[in-house]
Amino acid sequence: MEFSIKSGSPEKQRSACVVVGVFEPRKLTLPGELLDNASQHHLSDIIRRGDMEGKAGTTLLLHNVPGTLCDRVLLVGLGKEKEFREKEFCQAIRIAVKTLNETGSFDGTVFLTETPVKKRSVAWRVRQAAIVTQETTYRFDQFKSKKDEVRRPLRKLTFAVERRSELNPAEDALAQGLSIAEGMALAKNLGNRPGNVCTPTHLAETAQKMAEEHGLEIQVLERSDMEVLGMGSLLSVAQGSIQPPKLIVLHHKGGKSDEKPVVLVGKGITFDTGGISLKPGPEMDEMKFDMCGAASVLGTIKAAALMKLPINLTVVVPTAENMPGGGASKPGDIVTSMSGQTIEILNTDAEGRLVLCDALTYVERFEPDTVIDVATLTGACVIALGHVTSGLFANKDSLARDLTDAGEEANDRAWQMPLWDDYQEQLKSNFADMANIGGRAAGSVTAACFLSRFTKKYDWAHLDIAGTAWKSGGEKGATGRPVPLLTHYLLQRAGKLN
Ligand code: BES
Ligand code: MN
Ligand code: ZN
């Protein structure tokens, strides 16, 4: 789809469809009033007759509105003006795009981006509108032999701003929104691909192509390289599978050469059977999503590259398949991590932390400013926070705050959980330096505590995205989260958030 920004009056738009909002009860937004005046109260007549009350989620498509240059006018209900916030704004954009796409408009001019949202800038509205639009039209049909084509899909979308002085910030925000959406689409595509296609090798090949396309530096460590480095923990996860593990490293060098990088580490278990501690059958297919942490950090570096962010960003993906093959780890096995610390594997299904800990030691060599790992780490996090917010842990409160703020701004929230020492004792092992599980209580906290033993040398945060990375049920599929949170964090650091 093609996008643009415009400032101008709605009645003068030569467009297949002009979209304006209506508040509840029966109150036109400003662009709506302009159209109403130009059309000798065509719109207010319709509203007075009760065809459009302004209820959130409702639409009314009008043809041949007098006094206008467009073919159609789409009215979108926004709910009560006082309650019009981020969520309502995004819902209005979503329903507008969906309707435009289904009603045969080739192009549309959306005036909803002129409607103020409390505490949010024009740039925010446009960025968000671009992201929501791309989300709404996203389809994953790579494996469908018949693609369901929209008959006359929307090809051109224009977001309107009220003042000419807003054109520049809005255009920057549009470019940002589209880059973020591309990062999310990559994350979703990788997440949605089945485990027999999206293997560690596939992730490495995808990263390789991305590096060539965007001028990123890349290294892919093979099993033998990891053996030399002493990554006994990561390797133990891969040893039950015939798929070879990989450690993917990508660098986006947009900042000064002496500037310390932000490092993102993503869990890349391309399928998690649980290993010898085998998972139960129902819904096990969803464990193809266990590489969504990896997908999200790859999506984030893609977005950063597209935006040419003036920062140094490194992405590290430890990736393996967790299978119960003949060579698999057994409960009670003890492995030595790259850090030298030994781990008793009491449950082979707690494999995420086993691949992450070696990656977190490996990244020390980049002398990071900040390290953030992203992982579908624990079912316990879903119990604690549901599918609304990601779990956030950090060894530095200001970093937790920055990430929480980024999540708020991006409409991709995270909620801080405790990382107090009191929990560490649950990881005690009689036979090794630590066990890889901490019992049923506070499962997502003890998982984070495990990781914290490998991240003492830098500022670090951990995002548990087990509840947010994908949806189950009828709308089963990857969400692209937390690409929005991560990209907003980076935009903020780069001073590029308006
Ligand atoms: N990938 C899972 C976590 C998961 C489970 C995410 C369900 C989303 C939905 C992870 O590897 C895992 O199996 N964790 C175990 C840890 C336990 C053995 C301590 C879990 O959460 O049950
Ligand atoms: Mn597992
Ligand atoms: Zn897992």
Side-chain angles (χ1 to χ4, degrees):
M1 190 151 27
E2 218 181 286
F3 288 86
S4 60
I5 304 288
K6 218 182 214 176
S7 84
S9 35
E11 72 277 11
K12 299 205 179 113
Q13 303 304 317
R14 289 182 193 282
S15 169
C17 190
V18 164
V19 184
V20 297
V22 182
F23 284 120
E24 190 181 357
R26 290 175 248 121
K27 179 172 183 275
L28 283 165
T29 50
L30 280 177
E33 280 180 18
L34 293 176
L35 274 183
D36 192 46
N37 291 339
S39 66
Q40 291 175 344
H41 307 295
H42 189 82
L43 300 190
S44 43
D45 285 348
I46 286 172
I47 285 174
R48 192 160 351 94
R49 274 186 235 121
D51 291 34
M52 165 49 86
E53 299 276 353
K55 277 206 170 45
T58 60
T59 56
L60 182 65
L61 187 64
L62 307 171
H63 293 265
N64 307 320
V65 175
T68 64
L69 298 178
C70 56
D71 304 335
R72 309 168 180 81
V73 170
L74 177 66
L75 301 181
V76 176
L78 304 180
K80 299 208 173 72
E81 188 165 10
K82 267 204 199 131
E83 291 163 17
F84 190 69
R85 300 272 161 76
E86 286 95 338
K87 217 172 121 196
E88 288 74 19
F89 175 82
C90 292
Q91 196 201 349
I93 298 286
R94 199 171 298 122
I95 201 147
V97 170
K98 199 165 173 283
T99 311
L100 286 173
N101 218 10
E102 285 166 359
T103 52
S105 292
F106 176 82
D107 68 320
T109 309
V110 175
F111 281 80
L112 302 174
T113 37
E114 288 193 6
T115 306
V117 178
K118 206 172 173 180
K119 287 195 209 153
R120 298 298 182 199
S121 61
V122 181
W124 183 91
R125 298 194 304 254
V126 170
R127 193 163 44 234
Q128 221 51 39
I131 295 172
V132 171
T133 301
Q134 298 295 62
E135 270 191 301
T136 308
T137 52
Y138 174 85
R139 299 279 177 286
F140 183 76
D141 53 13
Q142 191 188 338
F143 298 95
K144 299 265 195 193
S145 48
K146 282 200 197 76
K147 327 263 176 208
D148 36 333
E149 306 272 340
V150 179
R151 200 169 43 87
R152 289 174 60 200
L154 181 64
R155 284 282 152 73
K156 265 193 81 191
L157 201 60
T158 302
F159 295 125
V161 295
E162 216 178 324
R163 282 179 272 278
R164 302 193 53 143
S165 62
E166 294 169 339
L167 285 171
N168 275 331
E171 260 153 27
D172 289 348
L174 173 62
Q176 290 173 351
L178 293 175
S179 302
I180 294 169
E182 273 208 48
M184 290 173 75
L186 172 66
K188 288 191 211 182
N189 286 340
L190 290 173
N192 287 335
R193 278 176 201 152
N196 61 332
V197 173
C198 185
T199 58
T201 303
H202 178 79
L203 288 182
E205 285 168 0
T206 305
Q208 185 71 51
K209 277 190 210 128
M210 208 166 79
E212 284 158 25
E213 202 170 316
H214 299 285
L216 307 173
E217 278 177 34
I218 182 167
Q219 285 159 284
V220 177
L221 306 197
E222 306 292 333
R223 197 197 301 268
S224 54
D225 302 312
M226 294 186 249
E227 279 163 0
V228 173
L229 288 164
M231 295 183 165
S233 183
L234 195 167
L235 288 168
S236 76
V237 175
Q239 74 194 35
S241 167
I242 58 168
Q243 295 293 339
K246 309 272 173 186
L247 188 92
I248 305 164
V249 183
L250 284 167
H251 303 281
H252 161 76
K253 295 195 169 161
K256 297 203 183 77
S257 59
D258 61 344
E259 194 182 292
K260 293 182 169 182
V262 173
V263 179
L264 303 177
V265 179
K267 170 179 171 182
I269 298 298
T270 58
F271 197 85
D272 181 11
T273 64
I276 296 300
S277 313
L278 193 64
K279 285 184 180 294
E283 276 115 56
M284 208 212 271
D285 66 291
E286 295 191 5
M287 283 300 119
K288 73 172 184 176
F289 294 117
D290 212 18
M291 35 54 71
C292 281
S296 75
V297 299
L298 292 171
T300 298
I301 198 170
K302 179 170 190 179
L306 285 168
M307 294 190 277
K308 299 197 166 49
L309 280 191
I311 55 164
N312 293 331
L313 175 66
T314 295
V315 153
V316 176
V317 170
T319 173
E321 190 182 58
N322 188 20
M323 294 284 281
S329 300
K330 305 165 293 294
D333 283 4
I334 294 176
V335 295
T336 303
S337 67
M338 185 181 172
S339 72
Q341 298 178 91
T342 58
I343 304 162
E344 185 185 15
I345 303 176
L346 287 177
N347 189 321
T348 64
D349 198 10
E351 85 297 341
R353 60 199 83 182
L354 295 177
V355 299
L356 287 169
C357 69
D358 279 342
L360 288 166
T361 301
Y362 181 76
V363 303
E364 285 173 10
R365 67 188 53 211
F366 304 124
E367 295 179 28
D369 176 87
T370 303
V371 178
I372 304 165
D373 79 75
V374 188
T376 49
L377 201 62
T378 64
C381 190
V382 191
I383 303 302
L385 299 173
H387 303 285
V388 174
T389 172
S390 304
L392 164 62
F393 301 82
N395 64 10
K396 196 185 187 197
D397 275 332
S398 63
L399 175 58
R401 217 168 312 121
D402 289 348
L403 289 169
T404 306
D405 290 350
E408 283 281 340
E409 175 87 17
N411 201 6
D412 177 13
R413 282 182 299 203
W415 187 255
Q416 191 180 4
M417 309 261 281
L419 198 58
W420 295 311
D421 276 347
D422 311 54
Y423 291 100
Q424 290 283 355
E425 60 197 51
Q426 286 177 240
L427 293 171
K428 183 178 171 301
S429 159
N430 282 355
F431 304 105
D433 296 342
M434 68 192 89
N436 78 327
I437 54 170
R440 271 172 54 81
S444 58
V445 182
T446 52
C449 284
F450 180 95
L451 298 179
S452 76
R453 297 178 177 216
F454 300 84
T455 60
K456 294 211 156 67
K457 298 203 174 133
Y458 44 72
D459 293 347
W460 160 75
H462 157 61
L463 286 165
D464 193 331
I465 59 164
T468 53
W470 76 89
K471 288 184 179 157
S472 309
E475 284 175 77
K476 192 189 287 181
T479 60
R481 291 177 71 180
V483 171
L485 182 157
L486 294 169
T487 47
H488 277 73
Y489 169 73
L490 297 175
L491 277 166
Q492 180 68 262
R493 280 188 69 119
K496 299 282 180 194
L497 211 53
N498 283 308

